[in-house]
Amino acid sequence: MSFLYNIFVVIHLLGMAALVGSYFTVLKAPKITEVMVWGARIQFLSGLIIVGFGEAVLDNKEYNHTKIAVKLVLSLAIVALAEITRARQKKGQPNPNLVHVVGGLSVVTVFVAALWT
């Protein structure tokens, strides 16, 4: 079962790479790409699966629930803003500031994950 858990951790990291990496590639001409939207979705869903799987199946996992709650709220905000901004872009109403909010929140989430002990 820990193998399956680790697969979802890898998926979570790939989602982060897609989201943050795509943000850094569009800094000069800010826009939300499909890769960013899918990265945000993958981050959110795989994070839920990781915590749920760790709590329900693996006995040795203990989570800081405050940290998980903060990451959940940040992730939900990122997904919502990415979806909204992408939809507005498709309608011809781009908003570069929202792109930077999505990217900034994504980087903040990485810092929360890595530095909050």
Side-chain angles (χ1 to χ4, degrees), residues 3-115:
F3 177 75
L4 188 59
Y5 177 85
N6 290 333
I7 292 295
F8 280 108
V9 170
V10 169
I11 290 169
H12 193 66
L13 291 173
L14 290 173
M16 181 268 302
L19 181 58
V20 175
S22 294
Y23 171 64
F24 286 130
T25 61
V26 298
L27 276 176
K28 288 188 178 183
K31 66 178 184 169
I32 296 289
T33 64
E34 288 296 320
V35 174
M36 290 175 75
V37 174
W38 277 103
R41 292 172 183 162
I42 290 169
Q43 281 287 98
F44 181 74
L45 292 174
S46 63
L48 287 176
I49 292 169
I50 288 168
V51 173
F53 194 83
E55 289 280 349
V57 178
L58 302 178
D59 295 331
N60 60 347
K61 291 291 178 191
E62 291 189 24
Y63 294 103
N64 179 343
H65 292 286
T66 307
K67 175 182 173 180
I68 297 300
V70 168
K71 288 190 65 184
L72 178 66
V73 168
L74 286 170
S75 183
L76 189 58
I78 291 166
V79 170
L81 288 172
E83 295 280 358
I84 290 167
T85 306
R86 184 67 177 158
R88 286 184 180 171
Q89 281 176 189
K90 286 183 177 181
K91 291 180 182 177
Q93 304 166 347
N95 188 341
N97 293 330
L98 283 179
V99 176
H100 293 304
V101 171
V102 169
L105 285 176
S106 300
V107 172
V108 166
T109 304
V110 172
F111 277 100
V112 168
L115 300 177

